[in-house]
Amino acid sequence: MTETHRADFWFDPLCPWAWMTSRWMGEVENVRDIEVSWHVMSLAVLNDDPDDGEAGGRWGPVRVVNAARELHGPEVVKPLYDALGTRIHPGGRGGEPGAVIDEALAEVGLPAELARFATSDEHDDALRASHQRAIDLVGTGVGTPVVAVDGVAFFGPVVTPAPRGEAAGRLWDGAVLVAGTPGFYELKRSRTSGPVFD
């Protein structure tokens, strides 16, 4: 019997590369014995951006996901991320955060009043703590997403389009292998295309 491994995935709902990697993780769950827990991190925290704009600007979507987790439990994080991300990324609606947040909350059956947290710092301590857990595992100088499995954490992979089926599994095997190699730090090449949403 194969042991099921636990993986942790940190994301900011606004990051298109985290979205691509999250689609890959969904494929990996289908072809490898892993169970993924989903957590928030924040580009606004990472870049020390002030709270800005209507619906919280860069803070809005991640604050809403964080508040939903705080008030309704961790099981709502992935469905809410999916609902937000589908609208923001393949849907191309990143410029209308208020409407996107309202629709996503309705889609997953969460209370509409959670939208108010887009412009509230009420749960920012918990958001910053979740973000810091990712950074503590992977180190500084990285962004979102962060993946951790069996005591090994890494940024990325940054990939487009998201591999499917066994190709997703092979990328997972390779990422875990290189990240788990003592002294291994980086493997990188220039991006020649943006995210390909399908």
Side-chain angles (χ1 to χ4, degrees), residues 1-196:
M1 185 170 170
T2 306
E3 179 187 356
T4 299
H5 296 271
R6 181 170 181 255
D8 293 280
F9 188 103
W10 281 267
F11 66 92
D12 184 312
L14 289 181
C15 179
W17 294 108
W19 177 254
M20 296 305 303
T21 307
S22 74
R23 302 308 91 183
W24 164 70
M25 277 309 287
E27 287 290 310
V28 173
E29 284 186 289
N30 292 330
V31 297
R32 295 295 184 268
D33 290 316
I34 67 162
E35 188 175 292
V36 182
S37 296
W38 300 84
H39 314 276
V40 291
M41 63 185 300
S42 170
L43 290 169
V45 170
L46 190 71
N47 297 311
D48 199 24
D49 284 354
D51 192 347
D52 63 338
E54 186 180 343
R58 276 181 129 178
W59 287 89
V62 73
R63 275 178 165 164
V64 171
V65 175
N66 182 62
R69 180 186 59 79
E70 288 287 293
L71 300 172
H72 297 276
E75 64 277 2
V76 303
V77 171
K78 177 63 162 47
L80 184 54
Y81 177 37
D82 289 345
L84 287 164
T86 298
R87 289 167 172 80
I88 293 168
H89 301 299
R93 296 179 57 205
E96 44 186 296
V100 163
I101 289 168
D102 291 343
E103 291 171 19
L105 290 169
E107 178 183 321
V108 300
L110 286 167
E113 56 264 25
L114 283 171
R116 79 172 182 84
F117 290 104
T119 55
S120 168
D121 64 2
E122 186 174 335
H123 294 291
D124 280 5
D125 285 349
L127 170 57
R128 288 177 185 277
S130 179
H131 178 96
Q132 192 59 48
R133 279 193 296 277
I135 298 302
D136 288 346
L137 287 169
V138 79
T140 59
V142 301
T144 172
V146 169
V147 177
V149 61
D150 296 336
V152 173
F154 51 89
F155 162 70
V158 175
V159 61
T160 190
R164 306 261 181 219
E166 186 54 26
R170 286 194 304 271
L171 178 57
W172 172 256
D173 297 339
V176 172
L177 175 65
V178 298
T181 300
F184 179 86
Y185 296 108
E186 190 168 348
L187 179 68
K188 189 172 183 176
R189 60 184 171 192
S190 297
R191 298 177 202 170
T192 58
S193 68
V196 176

